Amino acid sequence: MIISIAAIRKHLALPEISWQICLLAIIGGCASAFLVVLFTLTIEEIQQLYLIKRDNYSSLDELSRFDLPIIGAIIILFFGWLTGYKYLRTGIPFVLHRLKVAHGVIPFKNTLNQFWGSAVALASGFSVGREGPAVHLGAACSSYMANALKLPYNSVRTLCACGIAAGIAATFNTPIAAVIFVMEVIMREYKVHIFVPVMLAAIVGSLITRSVFGTSHDFEYFHPIALDQYHYFSLVLLAIVLGILAAAFNKYLVLIIKKSVKYHIVPRLLLAAFITGILGYLVPGAMGTGTSAIDISLTSNLSLGLLFSLLIAKLLMTMFALGLGIPGGIIGPTLGIGAIAGACAGALVIQVLPGEYLGSDFILMGMAGFMAASLNAPLAALLTVVELSSQLELVVPAMIVITIASIVSRQLCKNESIFTMQLDAQNLSYRKPPIEESLQNIGVLAVMKDNLLILEQASTRTIIGELLSSHQSQLIINQESTQATEINSYYWAQFDAEIADDDGEDIEHNLAKKLILHKLIPLNHQVTLAEAYLALVEQRSGAVYIYGKDINDCIGLVTFEQLRIYLVEGKLH
């Protein structure tokens, strides 16, 4: 059994499709989806205590709408106090950061705060989304499983992506959008060996949520679109407005993060609750994830002033909630903001073209355009709206809005993805040099040399004798440390096997000159070639030794020459 597990780990260290990684993706996807379903049910159970319908905060009286976010913030702070305030970092930016610095392994206390903190935040009327917690919980669940099995870190990253896809699919019942979101926003690369297991995990997540909540999508109540080609000019104008609005939204959200980061989390969350309570008192439709705002936007004959006030309230609620640290996602609110902006555009079109009601069509276009421009994820935005509304007919008009909004936001307004802007504002690293990006896709187990000859307290003559009588090409000398507090140190000797001389003494003399001793750096068997490269890049020679159960259990070597050949030729040796 031990041999088979070791063989599986070695196979998973390669960036290849295999039944092993697919099976683990399905298992991890199931666990992640069930955790996200439990999270969703927790929110609904809390809301049933005081709401007649999910996210319908208009049913509460004015005082309750003001008090509810403050009570929620106090509960969130209580959980933060129990676990430690430093573990309150959650959401998609934090997951992106952990993928870069820790291969997707997430501290357990952060996950506890994500589950309970976000459940309370979403049930308390804060303008945050469910997808941020879904990404965090899915990533954490799959990465815990992979790390418990001591899998190579490159496969831990892949399974982390699988958990994210399963979590998003379980949240919205949108498997295609979940896959594209993972590849476009989270991993930011399209590799077949990642794409296939991610797709399997998304399928599993969708099947699980369908078995619990049914097969319907959130926005299937939208009427079939009735946009014609002569409406496209109006869509172009809408897209320009959406691009500018998304750039302004991102800019001021990040500004709030930068200005508030120097203050303690307690006054920040209480301020967010106070602002949400005041705005909820005045505009109840702006509270919640965004579904309430979308429902109001679909109401016929709403005045432009009412829609505009709803838009301003939703923008302010979302910016202050997320900017001041309330746990939750951003995609749900962006869909709500886009929907209200689209409804405003539809109201204007009615005034220009009397008799034509295109409110629901412009709402869908607004959702797609604002999400694409704010997240810098055009394909994910397109497929999200298509799957949620179950309307393939909106692909062409939505593509027009998405492309123009993205160009305006990115090129004219110099806007970036809100996730990368949040990471920069919070000083969380998420970029690595291209060399490290390439090397972290391969685990050391896949390339390490395990034909080892280990000697203890060996002299030079002993080394030469062993080399002459052995067919091994790697030699390790175990020298006991002079201090008991230090671990044993290992050295690697490399020799030229082509020496040909009839005189044995000359062979020994020449071979002694060929010996090159390097102090070996110990690395865990889970690491990737990126860690091996960083350990050897300064000296540009030598090797690292890979250990198994403990630091003295040497199971193989990875040489700098192997790394150099791979970087130059793209081949593994």
Side-chain angles (χ1 to χ4, degrees):
M1 187 66 178
I2 296 176
I3 296 176
S4 63
I5 292 176
I8 290 173
R9 288 172 179 161
K10 189 168 184 177
H11 192 80
L12 291 175
L14 288 168
E16 297 176 351
I17 301 176
S18 64
W19 67 266
Q20 294 96 331
I21 193 69
C22 291
L23 178 61
L24 289 170
I26 293 172
I27 296 172
C30 285
S32 300
F34 277 121
L35 182 61
V36 170
V37 167
L38 178 62
F39 174 75
T40 303
L41 292 174
T42 301
I43 298 169
E44 292 184 355
E45 288 298 318
I46 297 174
Q47 288 185 333
Q48 283 181 4
L49 298 175
Y50 46 85
L51 296 182
I52 60 175
K53 181 183 176 183
R54 189 182 75 176
D55 287 341
N56 185 12
Y57 295 95
S58 300
S59 61
L60 295 175
D61 59 77
E62 291 87 349
L63 186 60
S64 297
R65 294 199 300 268
F66 178 79
D67 292 340
L68 186 60
I70 297 174
I71 296 171
I74 293 172
I75 297 173
I76 294 169
L77 288 170
F78 175 71
F79 283 120
W81 174 76
L82 287 178
T83 57
Y85 290 126
K86 67 178 181 179
Y87 294 105
L88 281 175
R89 286 191 187 274
T90 56
I92 296 175
F94 181 70
V95 172
L96 289 171
H97 167 68
R98 295 298 297 182
L99 276 169
K100 290 299 179 184
V101 303
H103 304 285
V105 179
I106 298 173
F108 182 68
K109 289 183 179 180
N110 289 86
T111 305
L112 281 178
N113 279 313
Q114 179 70 92
F115 188 97
W116 293 109
S118 296
V120 171
L122 285 160
S124 302
F126 285 102
S127 183
V128 294
R130 290 181 291 156
E131 73 293 326
V135 167
H136 187 130
L137 296 174
C141 193
S142 289
S143 67
Y144 293 155
M145 178 196 73
N147 208 38
L149 295 173
K150 304 294 183 184
L151 300 182
Y153 283 139
N154 63 306
S155 59
V156 174
R157 289 179 69 248
T158 301
L159 292 175
C160 184
C162 294
I164 294 170
I168 296 174
T171 301
F172 297 108
N173 191 16
T174 54
I176 300 176
V179 172
I180 298 303
F181 181 83
V182 168
M183 307 305 289
E184 187 176 34
V185 177
I186 304 298
M187 304 303 289
R188 288 189 288 183
E189 59 179 354
Y190 287 88
K191 299 288 180 64
V192 176
H193 71 276
I194 299 176
F195 191 87
V196 172
V198 164
M199 192 158 46
L200 287 172
I203 293 170
V204 169
S206 183
L207 290 175
I208 288 175
T209 198
R210 289 182 183 188
S211 65
V212 177
F213 300 110
T215 59
S216 62
H217 291 97
D218 286 348
F219 305 136
E220 285 186 346
Y221 51 76
F222 275 89
H223 297 296
I225 65 168
L227 290 170
D228 233 325
Q229 291 186 6
Y230 63 87
H231 294 121
Y232 286 0
F233 179 73
S234 301
L235 294 181
V236 171
L237 297 178
L238 172 62
I240 294 173
V241 173
L242 291 172
I244 297 172
L245 185 64
F249 172 76
N250 287 10
K251 176 183 176 181
Y252 288 106
L253 172 56
V254 171
L255 181 64
I256 293 171
I257 294 174
K258 290 180 178 178
K259 295 293 184 181
S260 64
V261 71
K262 58 184 177 182
Y263 299 105
H264 194 269
I265 190 66
V266 173
R268 284 161 48 194
L269 294 196
L270 291 178
L271 177 60
F274 185 72
I275 292 172
T276 300
I278 291 176
L279 292 172
Y281 180 92
L282 298 172
V283 190
M287 298 181 73
T289 60
T291 55
S292 179
I294 295 171
D295 291 341
I296 294 174
S297 301
L298 286 169
T299 305
S300 303
N301 301 320
L302 285 179
S303 67
L304 189 59
L306 179 59
L307 289 171
F308 188 72
S309 64
L310 182 61
L311 177 62
I312 297 299
K314 191 65 179 176
L315 283 167
L316 292 175
M317 268 193 189
T318 305
M319 287 190 293
F320 280 103
L322 294 173
L324 294 173
I326 296 294
I330 195 173
I331 297 178
T334 59
L335 291 174
I337 294 169
I340 303 166
C344 291
L348 289 172
V349 170
I350 290 175
Q351 295 181 5
V352 176
L353 300 173
E356 285 206 32
Y357 176 70
L358 297 170
S360 62
D361 298 352
F362 277 82
I363 289 171
L364 287 170
M365 297 301 105
M367 292 162 60
F370 190 83
M371 177 181 169
S374 179
L375 274 58
N376 193 24
L379 190 56
L382 174 64
L383 291 175
T384 296
V385 176
V386 169
E387 278 197 285
L388 286 175
S389 63
S390 299
Q391 295 192 53
L392 287 174
E393 296 81 6
L394 61 79
V395 169
V396 172
M399 288 174 67
I400 294 172
V401 174
I402 286 171
T403 51
I404 295 174
S406 298
I407 291 171
V408 170
S409 175
R410 182 79 176 182
Q411 189 167 359
L412 298 183
C413 300
K414 308 301 180 184
N415 187 37
E416 297 182 18
S417 168
I418 185 58
F419 299 130
T420 58
M421 293 174 72
Q422 285 178 292
L423 287 165
D424 287 333
Q426 297 171 5
N427 294 318
L428 296 176
S429 60
Y430 63 96
R431 292 189 178 99
K432 282 191 174 183
I435 289 178
E436 292 182 43
E437 292 274 3
S438 174
L439 291 175
Q440 71 178 2
N441 291 322
I442 306 170
V444 291
L445 290 177
V447 300
M448 71 177 186
K449 298 182 178 182
D450 54 8
N451 52 334
L452 307 176
L453 182 61
I454 301 178
L455 304 177
E456 296 185 4
Q457 296 287 0
S459 64
T460 303
R461 179 171 290 275
T462 304
I463 296 171
I464 294 171
E466 291 291 345
L467 288 176
L468 292 173
S469 61
S470 173
H471 296 290
Q472 308 291 356
S473 60
Q474 277 76 40
L475 180 71
I476 296 180
I477 311 154
N478 178 6
Q479 292 188 339
E480 294 292 338
S481 174
T482 57
Q483 298 183 19
T485 57
E486 295 180 1
I487 63 170
N488 294 341
S489 57
Y490 293 81
Y491 293 80
W492 174 61
Q494 187 179 35
F495 71 101
D496 187 353
E498 300 299 326
I499 296 177
D501 197 315
D502 293 334
D503 191 339
E505 292 184 2
D506 288 340
I507 291 177
E508 285 192 10
H509 178 72
N510 292 333
L511 189 54
K513 293 181 179 180
K514 297 285 183 180
L515 291 175
I516 306 171
L517 296 181
H518 300 281
K519 185 168 184 178
L520 292 175
I521 301 170
L523 291 177
N524 186 277
H525 69 277
Q526 289 182 267
V527 303
T528 67
L529 293 184
E531 286 78 18
Y533 173 79
L534 292 175
L536 300 173
V537 66
E538 289 188 7
Q539 63 192 48
R540 294 188 174 274
S541 61
V544 294
Y545 80 84
I546 312 304
Y547 64 87
K549 295 179 180 179
D550 57 64
I551 202 166
N552 294 318
D553 178 26
C554 179
I555 60 175
L557 297 177
V558 176
T559 68
F560 183 79
E561 182 64 15
Q562 288 177 280
L563 301 176
R564 188 193 66 80
I565 292 174
Y566 173 71
L567 291 173
V568 173
E569 302 179 6
K571 298 178 182 178
L572 295 173
H573 289 270

